[in-house]
Amino acid sequence: MTHDAAVLKAREIASRVLAPSAGQNDKAGRFSTEALESLGESGLLGLMLPGEAGGSGLGPRTFAAVTAMLAEADASVAMVYLMHILGTATISAARPSAAPTVTPILREIAAGRHLSTLAFSEAGSRSHFWTPMSRAHRNGDGVRVSAKKSWVTSAGHAQSYIVSSLAPEGVGPTDSTLYLVLASTRGLSVSGPWDGLGLRANASAPIALEECEVPSNFQLSDDGAGFQTMLNVVLPLFNLGTAAVALGLCRAAVTGTSSHLKSARFEHLGQSLGESLPTLRAQLAAMQIDTDGLAARIDDLVEHLEKPRETTMLRVPETKAAAGDVAISVTSAAMRICGGAAFSKHLSIERLFRDAHAGAVMAPTGDVLREFIGKVLLGMPLF
Ligand SMILES: Cc1cc2nc3c(=O)[nH]c(=O)nc-3n(C[C@H](O)[C@H](O)[C@H](O)COP(=O)(O)OP(=O)(O)OC[C@H]3O[C@@H](n4cnc5c(N)ncnc54)[C@H](O)[C@@H]3O)c2cc1C
């Protein structure tokens, strides 16, 4: 599959499957199994997997374009997709001794039959996912893990979870190990409901692991090396992907607002809202400027990930921090411009506004990213 073919497939799925049911799924808090089925059949679940694993071997550029395209129709599905791509990248980067476990799972992912996700955040350390409170304990040549994972996108729908836990002999707070835990593992359960303000259709419920037995060949990172995988494999793609979700939301807000300004009319003046009020046109223009600015930022991050250089360590946090703010600002402007029609839920704008608030609180949160950037600029240690 080429870049263009992948984006075309995403566009087709977005308009045929996602767009018609996004509103209903949001209302009901319903996870779209149809969307996952279509993404699986299209080959998009194996987008970044290497050819030898049956994937398309495509890079961050295509991942960002596909994710933005999905988010424009339904950000809940886009977030499920993003978490899956991160889970897949982590499995793909597994240490060589995990190959007997990992190889068949990667083939299932490429065939569109396996959805993965990340289970990092814990109730105790909250958004500081890099310091798990749980600790794995030796159990023969494997481990036993008990943990309270506070939000896990696709909880109860994924076939596997990438679980972080302090290494059995870890000394420091970031000495974690990453494990592949299958959904069928005894002791793993969805431990609460998901009834969020936004991204209501992505099943980001808590999960509990109680004495889950994880064999040694399901250990993805070396003991205590989970943190390095989080930083090097997960973080750049997560920040790029959440920025792409933000971009999709902004584009949908611009489209939805334009369409309202063209169709809603002041009958007494014989004009549409857009024809009548220059102030609304100016606010719409500002939304477009911010949206295109975010697109340029994302392109810039893609280039930095394709050709890493000294500034990459700034671009990675900057892009997610900026994207979270832009998505909130653009969708807030859309709410204001579309007035009572948006407020009383006659338009899909209010769903975009609610969904846009998730990016900034998903870890690393916008505040934490700004803290990282400040420390980098001042030459201070990050942790
Ligand atoms: C829709 C959704 C889906 C999610 N999916 C997943 C998932 O699939 N996997 C997963 O592991 N997690 C997931 N999460 C969890 C997410 O990544 C965060 O861990 C979670 O949102 C943090 O919420 P909290 O209340 O614990 O934040 P808190 O840690 O309580 O933060 C509260 C406030 O303090 C600020 N703050 C915290 N630390 C600092 C600091 N050092 N400097 C400055 N400000 C700071 C934060 O920015 C925030 O504004 C998801 C969350 C949401 C909302």
Side-chain angles (χ1 to χ4, degrees):
M1 184 160 37
T2 61
H3 170 90
D4 289 347
V7 177
L8 217 65
K9 281 183 188 203
R11 177 174 291 136
E12 191 276 323
I13 292 171
S15 71
R16 179 175 54 84
V17 186
L18 272 53
S21 52
Q24 271 310 318
N25 287 339
D26 168 69
K27 211 171 195 170
R30 178 183 171 275
F31 185 94
S32 176
T33 45
E34 310 80 68
L36 262 293
E37 227 172 85
S38 299
L39 289 169
E41 284 164 6
S42 69
L44 289 174
L45 292 187
L47 186 84
M48 294 186 79
L49 285 180
E52 54 272 24
S56 304
L58 290 162
R61 186 173 299 278
T62 315
F63 163 57
V66 165
T67 305
M69 185 67 69
L70 298 177
E72 205 171 329
D74 186 341
S76 283
V77 174
M79 189 56 74
V80 166
Y81 182 70
L82 153 59
M83 285 299 179
H84 165 79
I85 293 290
L86 298 177
T88 300
T90 312
I91 300 171
S92 204
R95 59 189 190 151
S97 56
T101 309
V102 159
T103 307
I105 289 178
L106 292 180
R107 292 220 163 268
E108 283 294 288
I109 290 174
R113 292 190 289 263
H114 185 115
L115 179 72
S116 195
T117 190
L118 303 180
F120 288 176
S121 307
E122 294 195 358
S125 49
R126 308 185 69 88
S127 60
H128 299 185
F129 64 87
W130 53 90
T131 54
M133 302 301 293
S134 65
R135 181 181 294 280
H137 295 280
R138 295 273 169 226
N139 177 40
D141 67 347
V143 292
R144 251 198 209 107
V145 182
S146 295
K148 287 188 177 128
K149 298 293 180 179
S150 40
W151 284 272
V152 181
T153 295
S154 308
H157 297 275
Q159 276 70 43
S160 68
Y161 300 88
I162 311 302
V163 171
S164 55
S165 198
L166 285 176
E169 293 82 25
V171 179
T174 60
D175 290 348
S176 63
T177 305
L178 299 183
Y179 303 97
L180 175 64
V181 180
L182 295 177
S184 54
T185 304
R186 193 142 46 101
L188 186 148
S189 63
V190 176
S191 53
W194 170 241
D195 184 15
L197 172 77
L199 297 186
R200 292 179 46 76
N202 80 354
S204 290
I207 65 166
L209 291 99
E210 284 175 29
E211 299 284 310
C212 288
E213 295 190 0
V214 185
S216 64
N217 54 342
F218 282 70
Q219 180 176 329
L220 298 176
S221 72
D222 284 331
D223 285 322
F227 181 57
Q228 290 313 317
T229 306
M230 287 176 181
L231 281 190
N232 300 329
V233 178
V234 176
L235 191 67
L237 282 181
F238 177 68
N239 284 13
L240 176 64
T242 42
V245 171
L247 178 61
L249 284 164
C250 290
R251 285 180 172 156
V254 170
T255 307
T257 304
S258 305
S259 147
H260 184 67
L261 292 188
K262 282 194 268 187
S263 62
R265 299 185 65 76
F266 286 128
E267 298 292 351
H268 61 298
L269 302 177
Q271 283 183 321
S272 68
L273 256 63
E275 287 166 335
S276 183
L277 293 172
T279 169
L280 298 185
R281 294 196 292 274
Q283 289 180 68
L284 175 66
M287 287 170 63
Q288 177 67 30
I289 292 167
D290 286 348
T291 301
D292 283 343
L294 177 56
R297 248 187 209 289
I298 289 175
D299 284 346
D300 174 61
L301 177 57
V302 165
E303 278 168 27
H304 273 80
L305 295 182
E306 286 172 347
K307 290 192 201 103
R309 59 203 98 144
E310 212 178 305
T311 40
T312 306
M313 74 177 302
L314 278 174
R315 293 300 194 277
V316 169
E318 281 171 11
T319 306
K320 179 179 181 287
D325 291 346
V326 170
I328 290 173
S329 146
V330 166
T331 57
S332 301
M335 286 296 291
R336 203 168 51 243
I337 297 169
C338 296
F343 192 80
S344 50
K345 304 188 180 180
H346 297 165
L347 309 169
S348 60
I349 300 287
E350 61 83 31
R351 170 168 56 84
L352 307 176
F353 172 78
R354 287 185 285 104
D355 287 352
H357 281 73
V361 299
M362 289 184 76
T365 68
D367 297 318
V368 167
L369 291 169
R370 280 182 282 272
E371 179 63 356
F372 283 175
I373 294 164
K375 283 181 171 173
V376 169
L377 293 175
L378 297 179
M380 292 165 66
L382 291 189
F383 293 95

